[in-house]
Amino acid sequence: MKAKNIRFFSPQENELQAEKNAKAKALPKGYISAAGKIVFPSAAIEELGIEPETTKFQVGTDGGKRKIKNLYLVPTEQQSAFSIVRTGRGYSLPLEVILSKGGIDYSNQKYVFTASIFQHEDSVGYALEIAPEQAIEKVPYTGKPRGRKSKASQQDTDQVSQ
């Protein structure tokens, strides 16, 4: 008699698999103030794992580019580095001159950024992708007109009814 090739199952194969289509967590966001400061909300600082009182950063951008699209913050121990300052409910990094030289007109337009983590020479850095804020377009109202009727339209309806 010939030996049968039998495949045996494990108890883990009998369990239902959870769907892997769960939404990915959104990247932390912030904005550039009208005074030229990179503003991090407290939630973004906490999510990125930054110690604002003790951490100093080297600030950089893509080499060979005239306009700033990405800012890179790399933690460093140097005393001549940039430090984060507490402002209101969040924290900010004052970079007025660097941003204006990089072609970001923060005084006339609002800019936002999304922060992500990257590896730089055996340390963790933060990449800020800067983009102008998109204004939400208001949809025109198409419903029933409300309020008092204007005198002109009221006179038109009076003439029609006579």
Side-chain angles (χ1 to χ4, degrees):
M1 191 165 144
K2 190 175 179 183
K4 295 191 181 224
N5 189 7
I6 300 173
R7 178 178 177 255
F8 292 99
F9 296 100
S10 68
Q12 288 82 14
E13 290 176 308
N14 194 31
E15 294 176 6
L16 287 174
Q17 297 294 323
E19 288 191 31
K20 295 183 180 182
N21 292 345
K23 287 189 175 183
K25 196 170 184 181
L27 295 173
K29 296 180 184 284
Y31 64 94
I32 298 176
S33 72
K37 296 178 181 178
I38 305 287
V39 179
F40 295 95
S42 295
I45 289 283
E46 189 176 303
E47 196 171 327
L48 291 171
I50 298 173
E51 293 292 328
E53 288 81 26
T54 58
T55 308
K56 292 185 177 272
F57 292 103
Q58 287 181 321
V59 177
T61 183
D62 295 319
K65 303 281 183 181
R66 289 185 184 180
K67 186 160 178 149
I68 295 176
K69 292 187 180 175
N70 295 310
L71 271 178
Y72 301 102
L73 306 177
V74 179
T76 184
E77 299 296 323
Q78 298 175 2
Q79 292 300 321
S80 62
F82 295 93
S83 59
I84 292 182
V85 180
R86 176 88 175 155
T87 54
R89 294 187 208 159
Y91 295 90
S92 68
L93 190 62
L95 298 174
E96 302 91 4
V97 177
I98 293 171
L99 293 174
S100 61
K101 285 183 180 178
I104 295 181
D105 187 17
Y106 52 81
S107 59
N108 294 328
Q109 185 175 7
K110 187 162 184 174
Y111 286 86
V112 294
F113 64 84
T114 55
S116 59
I117 298 173
F118 74 101
Q119 289 293 325
H120 178 74
E121 297 178 0
D122 301 330
S123 67
V124 174
Y126 306 98
L128 310 179
E129 186 177 328
I130 299 172
E133 184 177 50
Q134 300 294 326
I136 300 171
E137 288 190 33
K138 194 171 184 180
V139 178
Y141 181 71
T142 58
K144 183 178 177 182
R146 306 274 183 217
R148 294 180 119 178
K149 292 183 180 179
S150 65
K151 287 188 176 183
S153 66
Q154 212 170 23
Q155 288 173 355
D156 292 341
T157 55
D158 289 343
Q159 289 176 357
V160 171
S161 62
Q162 288 179 1

